[in-house]
Amino acid sequence: MDQTVTEENLQQICAKLSDTEVAVNNELDLILSRYCHVEAKLQNISKVLPNLTIIHSEADKLGEMITFTNRLAENVSAKVRRLDLARSRVSECQNRVHDVLDLQLCSQGVATALRNEDYEQGAAHVHRYLSMDRQLLERTAQDVSGDHTSISSSLVTLQQAAHQLRTVITHKFDEAVKDEDLASVERFFKIFPLLGMHNEGLSKFCQYLCTKLQETAQKNLKAALDAKQTDKRASVIYADTMTLLFEGIARVIEIHQPIIETFYGPGKLLPTVVILQKECDRQIKKIIREFMVHRNVSKKVHAINELLRKQSADKIDPKDLDLLLGEITIMHSRAELYIRFLRRRISNDLEIGVANIDQRKDQLQEFELYIGKSELAHAMQELLGAYLALERYFLEESVNKAVGMDTLDQDQQTSSMLDDVFFIVRKCVRRAISSWSVDGVCAVVNMACGILEGEFASQLRSRLRQGYPAGYLDLAQAYNALQTSIQHGRLQASDTELARLMFLAYLNNTDVSIEHVETLTKSLGEEIATAFPNMREKERGKFDSCLAGLRGVTSTLRAVVDYGLEQLRASAVKPRVTPWVDSFLSLNHHINEDELLGYETEEPFVQTLVMNLEGLLQVFKGGLTPSNYDALIGILTAEVTARFEKVVLKSTFNRAGGLVLDKEIRALAGYLAAATSWSVRDKFARLTQIATVLSVEKVEELADYCGADAVAWRLTPAEVRRIASLRTDLRPEDIKRLKL
Amino acid sequence: MEDYKFLFKVVLVGNAGVGKTCLVRRFTQGLFPPGQGATIGVDFMIKTVEVENEKVKLQIWDTAGQERFRSITQSYYRSAHALILVYDISCQPTFDCLPDWLREIEEYASNKVLRILVGNKIDREDREIPTHVGEDFAQRHSMYFLETSAKEAENVERLFMEIAAELMEQARSKELPRYETNATSINGKTTSIGDSSNCSCSRLT
């Protein structure tokens, strides 16, 4: 109400005040109306108040009761706990009594068993004794020391019995081994683990198996040495002996692994194999020694190395090495097979026996290391070394022989050396694959590359270097002469004829050998993939690299083909084509309308040229492989067009002459295009365009031909002007004025 | 399609135990594995390096030094672009065998092969062959020379990088048509290595 009271708002203020009054009245009414209600509540409260004291005292009582119960419960549980302890002690005690009873039983049993020689029973008793907590037993013995029970004496008895049994079993086992009593050997072998002698048992048993292996192996080796030369398997007798040894060991493992697993637990194959491998190594060494001596391997390798150094007359016939090479690869592959068998078996055994993956890996690694250092691996490396030295000689000498005995059949495009060489190369690599040695295969592939790129390629090249002798004036004539001489049964063709045929054959040899190398690489890749199904990354890399090297031989061979074709061009194509094309110069190219008609029907120049070319090609058509023949036509086309261009530029024409030329060039291009599967259009481009220039009606037409948009136009403006000026009927001023 | 412009084959030879495998491992994997077993036959590793902004793939063939692997290892000489002949500076016999190795190289390798003499194990204190003796030998037989330590990673990177650079230089100056296998010259021998057409290189013959 802080407004200043004025006349004007007096009314307003009054209204406001009365409003406020009404509101206050209302509020007061509301409060009054609640009075009754509040009064009632207060009365209620005063009525309930005494109850509260009762509740309080009751709650106190409850609390006391709970505390009491709690104490009681604790007391009870402590008793229970004590009871439990007592019960467990009783049970332990029971166990101990059991053990003690068993101990006594065992000690008595052992004695009886020993007396009765029932070693299984005895060992079972000892096993029971060994499974007891020995320290506890000893303490028990001390605890009851006052009482003269038989516990300590039982312990002593059992200890003695165990010791005695161990000695007896060992002794009995040795005796059984000596008596070759297999049943007893196996019987005692099963007892060892009961006596806690796992390692001793395994090692003793394996030693026994080793002696068995040794006997068989010696017998086999002796049989091999005594085998007659006429024996069917005489040539592979050492490989057979080795195979028998491996098979023997594999069989031993096959038979005894289940027994070992049952009585000694899984995961024991690795130590078993380690012991057996020692015997294997000893026997392999013996076999290899005999093999080396009786097959003269070292002597042969030595002789071959000598031969490679200095060419001597008395060479070893590669054929004589064939059987030996075969035997070595068999030996190597058998050893590889055997190692794969061991690896597989051990890895399976470890999978069951060793839960930890890292440990498993370690053990496998241990096996790899062991086998890698073994005498067997060493022997395999020696074998491979000898094999490669011999195979290299075989490959080189056989290829040399094939090249030396090269013959050419009249109806063949290639000579015998081609197929022979590739047959030998394939045979050698295949033999290497059969050895199952990655390095061996790679080495032989490398050798094959060497010989193909070296000796083989240089043979091809040197024959082609002698060139294609063009003795006859006309090649068709030469060919006919040869044909008649063959028909008349005079097989000895003259030197020139023979040289010519040989040249073509070698050109074909080279061409076909490119194909052969490609096929060989592909098929060897497939064969290798089949022979080595589980190649590791690195091994695959080795193969790929070596095979890529083999494929690379094709580029050397392609260079030789190019060289041969160049020779052919120089001696057979160029000298013949030049005079044929040059005859164009002696012709008149200023033709009147009447003559033009005659030319249109006859085309005398080009008909003769085509006939000559046909004659030339005919000689080669049957004699060259399709791709060489195509290449020859390519060379011929290049030669003809180049020469033709030269002679055209030396001639002069009128329009009719130009038209005739244009027609003749089309006919020539048509003929050559029909002769080959390759396109010759490109080679004729310039020539056709020259003819176009020479056959224009008016100089102005030229501008259309060689305008900027003519992409395929090959002639420069200067050349166009020069060619146009050959037309005597065109005015030089017009040509000069021409804007190109 | 692998992305490299040149592929070179490098072959390491030398007596057993001079550290060929360690040199290769050091270069390709940056490791020095002590107590390495003897190499069996041949092993190979690949490393692509960059020389003058060009990718160069080195195919490194690590051969076994022992006599009985000779027939395997010899077969790799022919196609090698570079031969690294290794000896152990702390072991006179490995140096004494060098002439035998050279004879073998003469016999089997291409005569234009890049030859490098490497004296390894310079971390050893019991040196038997002074640097200048190795140098002399290399010079007499026109070989490159370098002393290395695979253990301390000394000069190993340099050895292979210089080989890569030198081989690239040779390849560039020798043969022009490097990319098309069928565009070979008649007199020059051009062999492409590698399986894709755009990554071949010339042989140094």
Side-chain angles (χ1 to χ4, degrees):
Chain A
M1 223 71 54
D2 46 359
Q3 279 171 311
T4 41
V5 182
T6 57
E7 284 279 320
E8 299 89 62
N9 62 7
L10 197 64
Q11 204 74 33
Q12 241 177 357
I13 294 167
C14 183
K16 224 178 229 175
L17 280 175
S18 61
D19 275 357
T20 318
E21 192 191 351
V22 173
V24 168
N25 271 339
N26 281 346
E27 222 166 298
L28 280 174
D29 282 347
L30 197 70
I31 291 167
L32 272 176
S33 75
R34 277 187 198 160
Y35 170 78
C36 257
H37 184 70
V38 171
E39 189 75 0
K41 286 248 162 124
L42 280 172
Q43 270 174 359
N44 269 348
I45 288 169
S46 58
K47 246 184 257 169
V48 172
L49 261 175
N51 284 351
L52 259 174
T53 30
I54 302 169
I55 288 169
H56 183 73
S57 67
E58 293 281 315
D60 275 352
K61 251 186 253 169
L62 184 65
E64 269 167 44
M65 201 125 67
I66 287 170
T67 329
F68 175 72
T69 317
N70 178 32
R71 217 172 297 134
L72 201 68
E74 265 176 16
N75 281 345
V76 170
S77 87
K79 276 184 188 139
V80 168
R81 234 177 284 138
R82 244 176 291 147
L83 263 175
D84 199 43
L85 190 67
R87 203 186 62 99
S88 75
R89 282 199 185 142
V90 166
S91 127
E92 204 180 301
C93 194
Q94 246 175 340
N95 259 345
R96 249 201 260 184
V97 168
H98 239 282
D99 277 0
V100 169
L101 282 176
D102 273 1
L103 191 67
Q104 277 167 327
L105 215 69
C106 282
S107 77
Q108 284 163 6
V110 143
T112 340
L114 276 178
R115 232 176 294 124
N116 298 340
E117 298 201 347
D118 185 353
Y119 301 110
E120 280 81 3
Q121 193 60 43
H125 287 313
V126 171
H127 187 66
R128 169 80 185 90
Y129 155 68
L130 288 175
S131 68
M132 294 174 197
D133 187 337
R134 226 161 306 167
Q135 275 184 327
L136 215 60
L137 277 176
E138 270 157 24
R139 236 188 302 143
T140 316
Q142 278 166 11
D143 287 349
V144 290
S145 58
D147 185 11
H148 280 290
T149 50
S150 48
I151 293 178
S152 25
S153 67
S154 292
L155 266 177
V156 175
T157 321
L158 268 171
Q159 253 156 17
Q160 277 172 351
H163 182 73
Q164 195 183 344
L165 254 175
R166 281 182 183 139
T167 339
V168 169
I169 293 298
T170 314
H171 179 70
K172 285 274 174 192
F173 184 88
D174 290 345
E175 235 170 44
V177 167
K178 212 186 286 166
D179 298 346
E180 304 218 6
D181 181 354
L182 185 64
S184 305
V185 167
E186 281 191 6
R187 179 184 164 199
F188 296 116
F189 169 64
K190 291 171 190 168
I191 293 172
F192 280 117
L194 292 177
L195 301 173
M197 300 169 75
H198 293 83
N199 291 341
E200 290 93 328
L202 205 57
S203 112
K204 279 202 157 294
F205 187 57
C206 289
Q207 291 303 345
Y208 163 69
L209 293 177
C210 283
T211 55
K212 292 267 124 198
L213 283 176
Q214 187 185 4
E215 278 168 34
T216 338
Q218 265 166 355
K219 227 187 300 163
N220 289 335
L221 184 58
K222 196 168 174 306
L225 290 175
D226 292 345
K228 289 193 186 73
Q229 285 298 311
T230 49
D231 195 292
K232 240 199 291 175
R233 310 279 305 167
S235 61
V236 287
I237 201 82
Y238 294 100
D240 280 354
T241 314
M242 236 168 109
T243 312
L244 284 175
L245 173 69
F246 293 140
E247 280 174 356
I249 299 173
R251 203 173 304 118
V252 161
I253 292 171
E254 196 86 32
I255 293 171
H256 295 98
Q257 194 190 3
I259 306 178
I260 296 173
E261 203 176 300
T262 315
F263 294 94
Y264 286 71
K268 294 279 186 221
L269 192 58
L270 182 57
T272 312
V273 165
V274 165
I275 299 171
L276 293 179
Q277 186 54 40
K278 279 189 194 122
E279 188 56 39
C280 175
D281 282 349
R282 273 191 288 275
Q283 295 308 323
I284 284 292
K285 212 171 167 181
K286 277 186 201 159
I287 297 172
I288 295 286
R289 198 194 303 134
E290 295 298 334
F291 168 74
M292 290 285 183
V293 170
H294 285 88
R295 297 280 197 240
N296 281 328
V297 179
S298 331
K299 222 174 94 188
K300 279 177 186 153
V301 172
H302 184 72
I304 280 163
N305 283 336
E306 285 298 298
L307 278 174
L308 287 176
R309 286 233 169 82
K310 48 180 195 282
Q311 293 293 316
S312 108
D314 44 326
K315 284 187 174 178
I316 301 173
D317 188 351
K319 249 192 217 150
D320 297 345
L321 297 174
D322 213 20
L323 287 174
L324 178 60
L325 284 166
E327 188 174 23
I328 301 181
T329 48
I330 295 174
M331 289 167 102
H332 194 278
S333 69
R334 293 292 189 269
E336 187 63 40
L337 185 67
Y338 165 73
I339 291 175
R340 285 188 200 180
F341 167 81
L342 291 185
R343 187 177 294 133
R344 200 175 54 239
R345 276 310 175 101
I346 287 176
S347 131
N348 287 346
D349 184 54
L350 287 176
E351 235 153 75
I352 309 165
V354 181
N356 188 325
I357 292 179
D358 285 338
Q359 225 173 328
R360 212 184 287 167
K361 247 187 216 152
D362 284 352
Q363 294 217 20
L364 261 182
Q365 188 62 31
E366 198 183 309
F367 166 72
E368 295 296 344
L369 273 176
Y370 182 78
I371 209 79
K373 279 185 191 150
S374 67
E375 193 71 40
L376 172 67
H378 202 280
M380 284 167 74
Q381 290 154 9
E382 297 272 6
L383 279 178
L384 195 63
Y387 162 71
L388 288 174
L390 296 173
E391 188 73 288
R392 183 194 166 93
Y393 180 80
F394 181 88
L395 181 65
E396 287 176 359
E397 268 320 296
S398 306
V399 166
N400 284 342
K401 237 166 98 177
V403 170
M405 300 189 336
D406 193 23
T407 54
L408 179 60
D409 243 352
Q410 303 292 357
D411 51 349
Q412 296 286 319
Q413 289 184 335
T414 53
S415 68
S416 68
M417 67 96 101
L418 175 75
D419 287 340
D420 289 352
V421 165
F422 278 92
F423 174 80
I424 295 159
V425 169
R426 178 180 294 270
K427 174 184 168 142
C428 290
V429 180
R430 276 200 175 147
R431 182 154 55 200
I433 291 174
S434 79
S435 77
W436 285 11
S437 157
V438 176
D439 279 344
V441 179
C442 286
V444 175
V445 170
N446 289 343
M447 291 172 194
C449 281
I451 197 125
L452 289 177
E453 257 182 353
E455 189 56 30
F456 180 66
S458 73
Q459 273 296 332
L460 295 172
R461 192 190 291 272
S462 75
R463 169 62 75 174
L464 295 176
R465 188 178 297 125
Q466 294 169 20
Y468 184 82
Y472 286 89
L473 270 176
D474 185 55
L475 278 167
Q477 193 189 338
Y479 187 72
N480 288 337
L482 177 64
Q483 289 296 328
T484 37
S485 72
I486 293 164
Q487 276 158 16
H488 288 120
R490 285 193 287 122
L491 281 171
Q492 271 159 335
S494 81
D495 284 352
T496 330
E497 287 155 10
L498 196 66
R500 229 171 256 155
L501 283 176
M502 281 309 259
F503 179 91
L504 295 184
Y506 270 64
L507 192 58
N508 292 333
N509 282 352
T510 320
D511 177 46
V512 177
S513 64
I514 293 172
E515 220 171 283
H516 279 11
V517 167
E518 269 156 10
T519 337
L520 183 69
T521 312
K522 193 160 162 274
S523 67
L524 288 180
E526 283 159 9
E527 280 170 43
I528 287 169
T530 338
F532 300 89
N534 301 315
M535 258 186 273
R536 271 167 288 174
E537 184 84 21
K538 190 153 276 180
E539 294 170 338
R540 190 185 302 277
K542 277 190 197 174
F543 281 134
D544 286 349
S545 168
C546 292
L547 287 177
L550 185 60
R551 201 177 301 116
V553 173
T554 51
S555 36
T556 309
L557 294 172
R558 276 208 186 94
V560 177
V561 169
D562 289 346
Y563 175 73
L565 287 170
E566 179 57 29
Q567 291 279 60
L568 201 57
R569 190 187 72 79
S571 56
V573 177
K574 200 181 162 106
R576 315 229 58 75
V577 165
T578 311
W580 294 339
V581 178
D582 283 358
S583 68
F584 187 77
L585 289 171
S586 57
L587 297 174
N588 177 21
H589 306 293
H590 298 268
I591 301 165
N592 60 38
E593 292 294 318
D594 293 344
E595 285 169 322
L596 182 61
L597 271 173
Y599 272 112
E600 295 225 304
T601 46
E602 280 170 30
E603 303 172 335
F605 167 72
V606 90
Q607 290 302 341
T608 322
L609 180 58
V610 163
M611 204 186 71
N612 282 331
L613 293 179
E614 177 73 22
L616 175 65
L617 286 176
Q618 211 51 53
V619 180
F620 295 105
K621 189 159 191 175
L624 284 175
T625 58
S627 89
N628 274 340
Y629 183 63
D630 278 341
L632 175 69
I633 290 176
I635 289 172
L636 190 66
T637 309
E639 206 52 52
V640 168
T641 50
R643 191 70 204 172
F644 212 154
E645 197 180 318
K646 259 185 214 156
V647 296
V648 165
L649 292 180
K650 280 187 199 159
S651 313
T652 54
F653 303 84
N654 63 6
R655 171 143 203 264
L659 285 171
V660 168
L661 175 69
D662 188 58
K663 210 160 167 295
E664 285 184 316
I665 285 171
R666 277 175 212 284
L668 183 60
Y671 163 72
L672 285 169
T676 170
S677 50
W678 291 3
S679 171
V680 295
R681 189 192 298 274
D682 201 50
K683 288 201 170 85
F684 266 98
R686 278 180 63 86
L687 206 53
T688 351
Q689 286 165 13
I690 290 172
T692 310
V693 172
L694 286 174
S695 56
V696 289
E697 202 183 341
K698 278 179 275 172
V699 177
E700 292 72 37
E701 283 173 38
L702 290 172
D704 298 337
Y705 288 123
C706 48
D709 55 327
V711 183
W713 193 255
R714 304 285 178 83
L715 303 174
T716 63
E719 282 174 326
V720 172
R721 273 185 237 278
R722 189 176 153 214
I723 295 159
S725 66
L726 298 175
R727 276 279 295 277
T728 47
D729 53 345
L730 296 177
R731 291 197 313 182
E733 308 90 74
D734 289 346
I735 297 169
K736 212 173 264 173
R737 236 185 292 123
L738 193 63
K739 284 200 169 66
L740 293 167
Chain B
M1 186 79 96
E2 277 183 272
D3 153 42
Y4 56 87
K5 196 141 190 196
F6 297 93
L7 183 141
F8 298 120
K9 286 191 189 177
V10 180
V11 177
L12 282 95
V13 296
N15 277 24
V18 295
K20 298 181 288 297
T21 304
C22 287
L23 281 169
V24 176
R25 287 290 197 94
R26 169 59 79 191
F27 176 63
T28 56
Q29 304 171 328
L31 298 172
F32 179 75
Q36 184 84 24
T39 307
I40 309 282
V42 282
D43 193 6
F44 95 129
M45 304 252 183
I46 284 172
K47 184 160 170 166
T48 308
V49 295
E50 213 165 280
V51 183
E52 294 165 36
N53 296 322
E54 299 275 25
K55 288 245 167 72
V56 178
K57 186 166 165 177
L58 291 179
Q59 202 178 62
I60 304 164
W61 293 85
D62 171 25
T63 67
Q66 283 153 318
E67 178 69 35
R68 63 175 180 281
F69 297 112
R70 227 31 75 77
S71 331
I72 297 173
T73 57
Q74 281 163 356
S75 78
Y76 287 90
Y77 286 31
R78 196 189 54 86
S79 58
H81 295 100
L83 273 166
I84 305 180
L85 177 50
V86 189
Y87 68 92
D88 175 356
I89 59 124
S90 64
C91 177
Q92 185 72 42
T94 67
F95 186 81
D96 295 340
C97 281
L98 293 181
D100 297 336
W101 286 106
L102 280 181
R103 245 195 306 285
E104 196 159 281
I105 291 171
E106 290 295 322
E107 195 171 338
Y108 295 102
S110 141
N111 50 357
K112 300 247 175 78
V113 69
L114 184 67
R115 297 179 304 170
I116 306 97
L117 182 66
V118 167
N120 192 30
K121 306 197 188 176
I122 50 171
D123 51 282
R124 299 271 297 233
E125 311 220 315
D126 50 345
R127 182 190 274 270
E128 288 184 5
I129 294 107
T131 308
H132 70 91
V133 173
E135 237 163 26
D136 278 0
F137 186 90
Q139 208 165 32
R140 252 183 295 128
H141 296 93
S142 46
M143 300 169 87
Y144 287 76
F145 179 72
L146 204 61
E147 283 194 338
T148 59
S149 162
K151 192 176 177 186
E152 308 287 339
E154 219 174 315
N155 274 344
V156 178
E157 189 81 12
R158 194 180 139 200
L159 168 68
F160 288 99
M161 292 307 284
E162 281 186 7
I163 289 172
E166 176 66 30
L167 287 175
M168 204 169 99
E169 182 70 22
Q170 285 189 8
R172 279 190 166 151
S173 64
K174 274 269 159 54
E175 322 276 349
L176 290 170
R178 210 173 290 129
Y179 305 109
E180 294 142 290
T181 45
N182 46 2
T184 48
S185 64
I186 284 166
N187 303 315
K189 225 171 154 190
T190 313
T191 308
S192 72
I193 297 162
D195 20 20
S196 47
S197 57
N198 77 330
C199 57
S200 45
C201 73
S202 59
R203 261 195 50 186
L204 307 170
T205 46

